[in-house]
Amino acid sequence: MILKIPVALFLMLFQMLVPAVNPKAARNEPMISISGEAQGTTYHIKYFDSQNRNFKLQIDSILADFDKCLSLYRKDSEIVAFNNGTGSHRFKSAHFYPVLQKSLEIHAATNGAFDPTIMPLTEALGFGAKRTNPELANVDSLLQYVGFEKINFNSDSIFKANTGVRLDMNGIAQGYSVDVVSTYLRSRGIDRFMVEIGGEVVCSGNKNENIPWIAGIEHPLKRGQLFATAKLTDLAMTTAGNYNNHFTRNGRVFNHIINPKTGSMEETSLLSVTVFAKDAMTVDGYDTAFFVMGLEATKEFLSKQNHLEAYLIYTDEEGKISSYVTNGIKDFIREIPNP
């Protein structure tokens, strides 16, 4: 439904845009690079470690456990068990509850623009694991199963009021997995690293003592080209784009963003949303919500926040590409001239 920045491009940016590390500035710590597959996508991790340790086996194990909890593509996952169940479910994994907590926080802050109970709608409109014909969707009949008030949970278990209620955590879970891996690295004494999973990223410390990590933001209408770069130090970032998923009706362009309150696919001028915060789960959830809210509501919302920054690319009233950046991050964003 909402596309994350392509991983290949993302990694290319780290290789091409970040200056080479000065060995003295890097405290004589070698940089370890590992990569693999998880959550139906890929991950890439770089970190500095004076002991030259390779944590790939441990990280693969962490991500495998994460998939067993929150992956909709695994028939044996815990979230699938809840979705297929009829009432209460006691948590088996430590991952389920924190994601629900953060989801509730973002749901409340955005007046319901973010809602993980949206799964009946995403499936019916053709965005689920099983492809369906959206023209056959009876949206009105499905809204009875959508709404955070349809579930109750505590640290031990979750309960749904109706068997038709199902959760889709894809809008936030991947960000949390980045945080989980970051927490593991910190527990092993690693304080300078970049963790990227499917386009969600956390950067800790600098690439070297004086130069931050640098990530790229793709041009929304020119695949493989950059629109801007962002300097990251002790910060999480995600870029979501909806520009490859749209249709035109009566001369109006509609992007495939489902409003969980109405069940409708919204018209929006937003082309991509890049969100910055201290943790990846937060940025992952808010980029989804901002697409539902639209440009003006998002700008107003951001003006009242002190823990979120954002860089928005959109089409203006004349149909030209424009951008908006919040004050807290503007000095770290560099737009790239495009012909």
Side-chain angles (χ1 to χ4, degrees), residues 112-190:
F114 179 80
D115 195 326
T117 66
I118 199 173
M119 186 173 178
L121 293 174
T122 58
E123 278 195 337
L125 293 171
F127 297 111
K130 297 179 181 179
R131 291 298 177 184
T132 58
N133 185 350
E135 294 182 356
L136 302 178
N138 188 349
V139 171
D140 290 340
S141 68
L142 296 174
L143 286 173
Q144 64 181 307
Y145 306 122
V146 178
F148 223 106
E149 72 279 2
K150 304 291 195 307
I151 63 171
N152 290 298
F153 65 92
N154 55 35
S155 59
D156 296 318
S157 59
I158 180 173
F159 172 81
K160 56 182 174 181
N162 189 297
T163 57
V165 175
R166 289 175 293 157
L167 294 174
D168 181 347
M169 293 294 193
N170 287 341
I172 193 169
Q174 197 164 81
Y176 178 60
S177 70
V178 175
D179 293 332
V180 171
V181 173
S182 299
T183 297
Y184 171 76
L185 290 175
R186 291 189 179 101
S187 75
R188 302 310 300 264
I190 307 298

Coordinates of all heavy atoms in Angstrom, one line a residue, residues 112-190:
G112 N -6.9 8.4 15.0 CA -7.3 7.2 14.3 C -6.8 7.1 12.9 O -7.1 6.1 12.2
A113 N -5.9 8.0 12.4 CA -5.3 7.9 11.1 C -4.5 6.6 11.0 O -4.3 6.0 9.9 CB -4.5 9.1 10.7
F114 N -3.8 6.2 12.1 CA -3.1 4.9 12.1 C -3.9 3.9 12.9 O -4.3 4.2 14.0 CB -1.7 5.1 12.7 CG -0.9 3.8 12.8 CD1 -0.3 3.3 11.7 CD2 -0.9 3.1 14.0 CE1 0.4 2.1 11.8 CE2 -0.2 1.9 14.0 CZ 0.5 1.4 12.9
D115 N -4.2 2.8 12.3 CA -5.0 1.8 13.0 C -4.7 0.4 12.4 O -5.0 0.1 11.3 CB -6.5 2.1 12.7 CG -7.4 1.3 13.6 OD1 -7.1 0.2 14.0 OD2 -8.5 1.8 14.0
P116 N -4.0 -0.4 13.3 CA -3.6 -1.8 12.8 C -4.8 -2.8 12.6 O -4.6 -3.8 12.1 CB -2.7 -2.3 13.9 CG -3.1 -1.5 15.1 CD -3.6 -0.2 14.6
T117 N -6.0 -2.4 13.0 CA -7.1 -3.3 12.8 C -7.7 -3.1 11.4 O -8.7 -3.6 11.0 CB -8.3 -3.0 13.8 OG1 -8.8 -1.7 13.5 CG2 -7.8 -3.1 15.2
I118 N -6.9 -2.5 10.5 CA -7.3 -2.2 9.1 C -7.3 -3.4 8.2 O -7.7 -3.3 7.1 CB -6.5 -1.0 8.6 CG1 -7.1 -0.4 7.3 CG2 -5.1 -1.5 8.2 CD1 -6.4 0.8 6.8
M119 N -6.8 -4.5 8.7 CA -6.5 -5.6 7.8 C -7.7 -6.1 7.0 O -7.6 -6.4 5.8 CB -6.0 -6.8 8.6 CG -5.6 -8.0 7.7 SD -4.7 -9.3 8.6 CE -4.5 -10.5 7.2
P120 N -9.0 -6.1 7.5 CA -10.1 -6.5 6.6 C -10.2 -5.6 5.4 O -10.6 -6.1 4.3 CB -11.3 -6.4 7.6 CG -10.7 -6.6 8.9 CD -9.4 -6.0 8.9
L121 N -9.9 -4.3 5.6 CA -10.0 -3.4 4.4 C -8.8 -3.6 3.5 O -9.0 -3.6 2.3 CB -10.0 -2.0 5.0 CG -11.2 -1.5 5.7 CD1 -11.0 -0.1 6.3 CD2 -12.5 -1.6 4.9
T122 N -7.6 -3.8 4.0 CA -6.5 -3.9 3.1 C -6.6 -5.2 2.3 O -6.2 -5.2 1.1 CB -5.1 -4.0 3.9 OG1 -5.2 -5.0 4.8 CG2 -4.9 -2.7 4.7
E123 N -7.1 -6.2 2.8 CA -7.3 -7.5 2.1 C -8.4 -7.3 1.0 O -8.2 -7.7 -0.1 CB -7.6 -8.6 3.0 CG -6.5 -9.3 3.7 CD -6.8 -10.6 4.3 OE1 -8.0 -10.9 4.6 OE2 -5.9 -11.4 4.5
A124 N -9.5 -6.7 1.4 CA -10.6 -6.6 0.5 C -10.3 -5.6 -0.7 O -10.8 -5.8 -1.8 CB -11.8 -6.0 1.2
L125 N -9.4 -4.7 -0.4 CA -9.0 -3.7 -1.5 C -7.8 -4.1 -2.2 O -7.3 -3.3 -3.0 CB -8.9 -2.3 -0.9 CG -10.2 -1.7 -0.3 CD1 -9.9 -0.4 0.4 CD2 -11.2 -1.4 -1.5
G126 N -7.3 -5.3 -2.0 CA -6.2 -5.9 -2.8 C -4.8 -5.6 -2.3 O -3.9 -5.8 -3.1
F127 N -4.6 -5.3 -1.1 CA -3.3 -5.0 -0.6 C -2.8 -6.0 0.4 O -1.7 -5.8 1.0 CB -3.3 -3.6 0.1 CG -3.6 -2.5 -0.8 CD1 -4.8 -1.8 -0.7 CD2 -2.7 -2.1 -1.8 CE1 -5.1 -0.7 -1.5 CE2 -3.0 -1.1 -2.7 CZ -4.2 -0.4 -2.5
G128 N -3.5 -7.1 0.6 CA -3.1 -8.1 1.6 C -2.2 -9.2 0.9 O -1.8 -9.1 -0.2
A129 N -1.9 -10.2 1.7 CA -1.0 -11.3 1.2 C -1.7 -12.0 0.0 O -1.1 -12.5 -0.9 CB -0.7 -12.3 2.3
K130 N -3.1 -12.1 0.1 CA -3.9 -12.7 -0.9 C -4.5 -11.6 -1.8 O -5.1 -10.7 -1.3 CB -5.0 -13.5 -0.3 CG -4.6 -14.7 0.5 CD -5.7 -15.4 1.1 CE -5.3 -16.6 1.9 NZ -6.5 -17.3 2.5
R131 N -4.2 -11.6 -3.1 CA -4.6 -10.6 -4.0 C -6.1 -10.8 -4.3 O -6.6 -11.9 -4.6 CB -3.9 -10.6 -5.3 CG -2.4 -10.2 -5.2 CD -2.3 -8.7 -4.7 NE -1.0 -8.3 -4.5 CZ -0.6 -7.1 -4.0 NH1 -1.6 -6.3 -3.7 NH2 0.6 -6.8 -3.9
T132 N -6.9 -9.7 -4.1 CA -8.3 -9.7 -4.4 C -8.7 -8.6 -5.3 O -7.9 -7.7 -5.6 CB -9.1 -9.6 -3.1 OG1 -8.7 -8.3 -2.4 CG2 -8.8 -10.7 -2.1
N133 N -9.9 -8.7 -5.8 CA -10.4 -7.6 -6.7 C -11.1 -6.5 -5.9 O -12.2 -6.8 -5.3 CB -11.4 -8.3 -7.7 CG -11.9 -7.2 -8.8 OD1 -11.6 -6.1 -8.7 ND2 -12.6 -7.7 -9.8
P134 N -10.5 -5.3 -5.9 CA -11.1 -4.3 -5.0 C -12.5 -3.8 -5.5 O -13.2 -3.3 -4.7 CB -10.1 -3.1 -5.2 CG -9.3 -3.4 -6.4 CD -9.3 -4.9 -6.6
E135 N -12.8 -4.1 -6.8 CA -14.1 -3.7 -7.2 C -15.2 -4.5 -6.6 O -16.4 -4.1 -6.6 CB -14.2 -3.8 -8.8 CG -13.3 -2.8 -9.5 CD -13.4 -2.9 -11.0 OE1 -14.1 -3.8 -11.5 OE2 -12.7 -2.1 -11.7
L136 N -14.9 -5.7 -6.1 CA -15.8 -6.6 -5.4 C -15.9 -6.3 -3.9 O -16.7 -7.0 -3.2 CB -15.5 -8.0 -5.7 CG -15.4 -8.4 -7.2 CD1 -15.0 -9.9 -7.3 CD2 -16.7 -8.2 -7.9
A137 N -15.1 -5.4 -3.4 CA -15.1 -5.2 -2.0 C -16.4 -4.5 -1.5 O -16.8 -3.5 -2.0 CB -13.9 -4.4 -1.6
N138 N -16.9 -5.0 -0.4 CA -18.1 -4.4 0.3 C -17.6 -3.7 1.5 O -17.6 -4.2 2.6 CB -19.1 -5.5 0.6 CG -20.4 -4.9 1.2 OD1 -20.5 -3.7 1.4 ND2 -21.5 -5.7 1.3
V139 N -17.0 -2.5 1.3 CA -16.3 -1.8 2.4 C -17.2 -1.5 3.5 O -16.8 -1.7 4.7 CB -15.7 -0.5 1.8 CG1 -15.2 0.4 2.9 CG2 -14.6 -0.8 0.8
D140 N -18.4 -1.1 3.3 CA -19.3 -0.7 4.4 C -19.5 -1.9 5.4 O -19.6 -1.7 6.6 CB -20.7 -0.3 3.8 CG -20.6 1.1 3.1 OD1 -19.6 1.8 3.4 OD2 -21.5 1.4 2.3
S141 N -19.6 -3.1 4.8 CA -19.8 -4.2 5.7 C -18.6 -4.6 6.5 O -18.7 -5.2 7.6 CB -20.3 -5.4 4.9 OG -19.2 -5.9 4.1
L142 N -17.4 -4.2 6.1 CA -16.2 -4.5 6.8 C -15.8 -3.5 7.9 O -15.0 -3.8 8.7 CB -15.0 -4.5 5.7 CG -15.1 -5.6 4.7 CD1 -14.0 -5.5 3.7 CD2 -15.1 -7.0 5.3
L143 N -16.4 -2.3 7.8 CA -16.0 -1.3 8.8 C -16.4 -1.7 10.2 O -15.8 -1.2 11.2 CB -16.7 0.1 8.4 CG -16.1 0.8 7.3 CD1 -16.9 2.0 6.9 CD2 -14.6 1.2 7.6
Q144 N -17.3 -2.6 10.4 CA -17.7 -3.1 11.7 C -16.6 -3.8 12.4 O -16.6 -4.0 13.6 CB -18.9 -4.0 11.6 CG -18.7 -5.3 10.8 CD -19.9 -6.2 10.7 OE1 -20.5 -6.5 11.7 NE2 -20.3 -6.5 9.5
Y145 N -15.6 -4.3 11.6 CA -14.5 -5.0 12.2 C -13.2 -4.1 12.4 O -12.2 -4.6 12.8 CB -14.1 -6.2 11.3 CG -15.3 -7.1 11.0 CD1 -15.6 -7.3 9.7 CD2 -16.0 -7.7 12.0 CE1 -16.7 -8.2 9.4 CE2 -17.0 -8.5 11.7 CZ -17.4 -8.8 10.4 OH -18.5 -9.6 10.1
V146 N -13.3 -2.8 12.0 CA -12.2 -2.0 12.0 C -12.3 -0.9 13.1 O -13.4 -0.3 13.2 CB -12.0 -1.3 10.6 CG1 -10.8 -0.3 10.7 CG2 -11.8 -2.3 9.5
G147 N -11.3 -0.7 13.9 CA -11.3 0.3 14.9 C -10.6 -0.2 16.2 O -10.8 -1.4 16.6
F148 N -9.7 0.6 16.7 CA -8.9 0.1 17.8 C -9.7 -0.2 19.1 O -9.3 -1.0 19.9 CB -7.9 1.2 18.2 CG -6.5 0.7 18.5 CD1 -5.5 0.8 17.6 CD2 -6.3 0.0 19.7 CE1 -4.2 0.3 17.9 CE2 -5.0 -0.5 20.0 CZ -4.0 -0.4 19.1
E149 N -10.9 0.3 19.1 CA -11.8 0.0 20.3 C -12.3 -1.4 20.2 O -12.9 -1.9 21.1 CB -13.0 1.0 20.3 CG -14.0 0.8 19.2 CD -13.6 1.4 17.9 OE1 -12.5 2.0 17.8 OE2 -14.4 1.4 16.9
K150 N -12.1 -2.1 19.0 CA -12.5 -3.5 18.9 C -11.6 -4.5 19.5 O -11.9 -5.7 19.6 CB -12.6 -3.8 17.4 CG -13.5 -2.9 16.5 CD -15.0 -3.1 16.9 CE -15.9 -2.4 15.8 NZ -15.6 -1.0 15.5
I151 N -10.5 -4.0 20.1 CA -9.6 -4.9 20.8 C -9.3 -4.3 22.2 O -9.3 -3.1 22.4 CB -8.2 -5.1 20.0 CG1 -7.5 -3.8 19.9 CG2 -8.5 -5.8 18.7 CD1 -6.1 -4.0 19.3
N152 N -8.9 -5.2 23.1 CA -8.4 -4.8 24.4 C -7.1 -5.6 24.7 O -7.1 -6.8 24.3 CB -9.4 -5.1 25.5 CG -10.6 -4.2 25.4 OD1 -10.5 -3.0 25.6 ND2 -11.8 -4.7 25.2
F153 N -6.2 -5.0 25.3 CA -4.9 -5.8 25.6 C -4.3 -5.3 26.8 O -4.5 -4.1 27.3 CB -4.0 -5.7 24.4 CG -3.5 -4.3 24.1 CD1 -2.3 -3.9 24.7 CD2 -4.1 -3.4 23.3 CE1 -1.8 -2.6 24.4 CE2 -3.7 -2.2 23.0 CZ -2.5 -1.7 23.6
N154 N -3.4 -6.1 27.4 CA -2.6 -5.7 28.5 C -1.2 -6.4 28.2 O -1.0 -6.9 27.1 CB -3.1 -6.1 29.8 CG -3.5 -7.6 29.9 OD1 -2.8 -8.4 29.3 ND2 -4.5 -7.9 30.6
S155 N -0.3 -6.4 29.2 CA 1.0 -6.9 28.9 C 1.0 -8.5 28.8 O 2.0 -9.0 28.3 CB 1.9 -6.6 30.1 OG 1.4 -7.1 31.3
D156 N -0.1 -9.1 29.1 CA -0.1 -10.6 29.0 C -0.9 -11.1 27.8 O -0.6 -12.2 27.3 CB -0.8 -11.2 30.3 CG 0.1 -10.9 31.5 OD1 1.3 -11.0 31.4 OD2 -0.5 -10.5 32.5
S157 N -2.0 -10.4 27.4 CA -2.8 -11.0 26.4 C -3.6 -9.9 25.6 O -3.6 -8.7 26.0 CB -3.8 -11.9 27.0 OG -4.6 -11.3 28.0
I158 N -4.3 -10.3 24.6 CA -5.1 -9.4 23.7 C -6.4 -10.1 23.5 O -6.5 -11.4 23.4 CB -4.4 -9.1 22.4 CG1 -5.3 -8.2 21.5 CG2 -4.0 -10.4 21.6 CD1 -4.6 -7.7 20.3
F159 N -7.5 -9.3 23.4 CA -8.9 -9.8 23.2 C -9.5 -9.0 22.2 O -9.4 -7.8 22.1 CB -9.7 -9.7 24.5 CG -11.1 -10.1 24.4 CD1 -11.5 -11.4 24.4 CD2 -12.1 -9.1 24.2 CE1 -12.9 -11.7 24.2 CE2 -13.4 -9.4 24.1 CZ -13.8 -10.7 24.1
K160 N -10.3 -9.7 21.3 CA -11.1 -9.0 20.3 C -12.5 -9.3 20.5 O -13.0 -10.4 20.8 CB -10.6 -9.5 18.9 CG -10.7 -10.9 18.5 CD -10.2 -11.1 17.1 CE -10.1 -12.6 16.8 NZ -9.6 -12.8 15.4
A161 N -13.3 -8.2 20.2 CA -14.7 -8.3 20.5 C -15.5 -9.1 19.5 O -16.6 -9.5 19.7 CB -15.3 -6.8 20.6
N162 N -14.9 -9.2 18.3 CA -15.6 -9.9 17.2 C -14.6 -10.8 16.4 O -13.5 -10.3 16.2 CB -16.3 -8.9 16.2 CG -17.2 -9.5 15.2 OD1 -16.7 -10.3 14.4 ND2 -18.5 -9.2 15.3
T163 N -15.0 -11.9 16.0 CA -14.1 -12.8 15.3 C -13.6 -12.3 14.0 O -12.5 -12.7 13.5 CB -14.8 -14.2 15.0 OG1 -15.9 -14.0 14.2 CG2 -15.1 -14.9 16.3
G164 N -14.3 -11.3 13.4 CA -13.9 -10.7 12.2 C -12.8 -9.7 12.3 O -12.2 -9.2 11.3
V165 N -12.4 -9.3 13.6 CA -11.4 -8.3 13.8 C -10.0 -9.0 13.6 O -9.7 -10.0 14.1 CB -11.5 -7.8 15.2 CG1 -10.3 -6.8 15.5 CG2 -12.8 -7.0 15.4
R166 N -9.2 -8.3 12.8 CA -7.8 -8.9 12.5 C -6.8 -7.7 12.4 O -7.2 -6.6 12.0 CB -7.8 -9.6 11.1 CG -8.6 -11.0 11.2 CD -8.7 -11.6 9.9 NE -9.5 -10.9 9.0 CZ -9.4 -10.9 7.6 NH1 -8.5 -11.7 7.1 NH2 -10.2 -10.2 6.9
L167 N -5.6 -8.1 12.8 CA -4.5 -7.1 12.8 C -3.6 -7.1 11.7 O -3.2 -8.2 11.2 CB -3.7 -7.2 14.1 CG -4.5 -7.0 15.4 CD1 -3.6 -7.3 16.6 CD2 -4.9 -5.5 15.6
D168 N -3.2 -6.0 11.2 CA -2.1 -5.9 10.2 C -1.1 -4.9 10.7 O -1.3 -3.7 10.8 CB -2.7 -5.4 8.9 CG -1.6 -5.2 7.8 OD1 -0.4 -5.3 8.1 OD2 -2.0 -5.0 6.6
M169 N 0.0 -5.4 11.2 CA 1.1 -4.6 11.8 C 2.2 -4.2 10.9 O 3.2 -3.7 11.3 CB 1.7 -5.4 13.0 CG 0.8 -5.6 14.2 SD 0.3 -4.1 15.0 CE -0.4 -4.7 16.5
N170 N 2.0 -4.4 9.6 CA 3.0 -4.1 8.6 C 3.3 -2.6 8.6 O 4.4 -2.3 8.1 CB 2.5 -4.5 7.2 CG 2.6 -6.1 7.0 OD1 3.3 -6.7 7.8 ND2 1.9 -6.6 6.0
G171 N 2.5 -1.8 9.0 CA 2.7 -0.3 9.1 C 3.6 0.1 10.2 O 3.9 1.3 10.3
I172 N 4.0 -0.8 11.1 CA 4.8 -0.4 12.2 C 5.8 -1.5 12.7 O 6.8 -1.1 13.3 CB 3.9 0.0 13.4 CG1 4.7 0.7 14.5 CG2 3.2 -1.2 14.0 CD1 3.8 1.4 15.5
A173 N 5.6 -2.7 12.4 CA 6.4 -3.8 13.0 C 7.8 -3.8 12.4 O 8.7 -4.1 13.2 CB 5.7 -5.2 12.7
Q174 N 8.0 -3.5 11.2 CA 9.3 -3.5 10.6 C 10.2 -2.5 11.3 O 11.4 -2.8 11.6 CB 9.3 -3.3 9.1 CG 10.6 -3.7 8.4 CD 10.4 -3.8 6.9 OE1 10.4 -2.8 6.2 NE2 10.1 -5.0 6.5
G175 N 9.7 -1.3 11.6 CA 10.4 -0.3 12.3 C 10.9 -0.9 13.7 O 12.0 -0.6 14.2
Y176 N 9.9 -1.6 14.4 CA 10.3 -2.1 15.7 C 11.4 -3.1 15.6 O 12.2 -3.2 16.5 CB 9.0 -2.7 16.3 CG 9.2 -3.4 17.6 CD1 9.7 -2.6 18.7 CD2 9.0 -4.7 17.8 CE1 10.0 -3.2 20.0 CE2 9.2 -5.3 19.1 CZ 9.7 -4.6 20.1 OH 9.9 -5.2 21.3
S177 N 11.4 -3.9 14.5 CA 12.5 -4.9 14.4 C 13.8 -4.3 14.3 O 14.8 -4.8 14.8 CB 12.2 -5.8 13.1 OG 12.4 -5.1 11.9
V178 N 13.9 -3.1 13.6 CA 15.1 -2.3 13.6 C 15.6 -1.9 15.0 O 16.7 -2.0 15.3 CB 15.0 -1.1 12.7 CG1 16.2 -0.2 12.7 CG2 14.7 -1.5 11.2
D179 N 14.6 -1.5 15.8 CA 14.9 -1.1 17.2 C 15.4 -2.3 18.0 O 16.3 -2.1 18.8 CB 13.6 -0.5 17.8 CG 13.2 0.8 17.2 OD1 14.1 1.5 16.7 OD2 12.0 1.1 17.3
V180 N 14.8 -3.5 17.7 CA 15.2 -4.7 18.5 C 16.6 -5.0 18.2 O 17.4 -5.3 19.1 CB 14.3 -5.8 18.1 CG1 14.8 -7.1 18.7 CG2 12.9 -5.6 18.7
V181 N 17.0 -5.0 16.9 CA 18.4 -5.3 16.5 C 19.3 -4.2 17.1 O 20.4 -4.5 17.5 CB 18.5 -5.4 15.0 CG1 20.0 -5.5 14.6 CG2 17.7 -6.6 14.4
S182 N 18.9 -2.9 17.0 CA 19.7 -1.9 17.6 C 20.0 -2.1 19.1 O 21.1 -1.9 19.6 CB 19.1 -0.5 17.3 OG 18.9 -0.3 16.0
T183 N 19.0 -2.5 19.8 CA 19.1 -2.7 21.2 C 20.1 -3.8 21.5 O 20.9 -3.8 22.4 CB 17.7 -3.1 21.8 OG1 16.8 -2.0 21.7 CG2 17.9 -3.4 23.3
Y184 N 20.0 -4.9 20.6 CA 21.0 -6.0 20.8 C 22.4 -5.5 20.6 O 23.3 -5.8 21.4 CB 20.7 -7.1 19.8 CG 21.8 -8.2 19.8 CD1 21.9 -9.1 20.8 CD2 22.7 -8.2 18.7 CE1 22.9 -10.0 20.8 CE2 23.7 -9.1 18.7 CZ 23.8 -10.1 19.8 OH 24.8 -11.0 19.8
L185 N 22.7 -4.7 19.5 CA 24.0 -4.2 19.3 C 24.5 -3.4 20.4 O 25.7 -3.5 20.9 CB 24.1 -3.4 18.0 CG 23.9 -4.2 16.7 CD1 23.8 -3.3 15.5 CD2 25.0 -5.2 16.5
R186 N 23.7 -2.5 21.0 CA 24.1 -1.7 22.1 C 24.4 -2.6 23.3 O 25.3 -2.3 24.1 CB 23.0 -0.7 22.5 CG 22.8 0.4 21.4 CD 21.8 1.5 21.9 NE 21.7 2.5 20.9 CZ 20.6 2.7 20.1 NH1 19.7 1.8 20.2 NH2 20.6 3.6 19.2
S187 N 23.7 -3.7 23.5 CA 23.9 -4.6 24.6 C 25.3 -5.3 24.5 O 25.8 -5.8 25.5 CB 22.8 -5.7 24.7 OG 23.0 -6.7 23.7
R188 N 25.8 -5.3 23.3 CA 27.1 -5.9 23.1 C 28.2 -4.8 23.0 O 29.4 -5.1 22.6 CB 27.2 -6.7 21.8 CG 26.1 -7.8 21.7 CD 26.1 -8.7 22.9 NE 27.4 -9.4 23.1 CZ 27.7 -10.6 22.7 NH1 26.8 -11.3 22.1 NH2 28.9 -11.2 22.9
G189 N 27.9 -3.6 23.4 CA 28.9 -2.6 23.5 C 29.2 -1.8 22.2 O 30.2 -1.1 22.1
I190 N 28.3 -2.0 21.2 CA 28.4 -1.3 20.0 C 27.7 0.0 20.0 O 26.5 0.0 20.3 CB 27.9 -2.2 18.8 CG1 28.5 -3.6 18.8 CG2 28.1 -1.5 17.5 CD1 30.0 -3.6 18.6

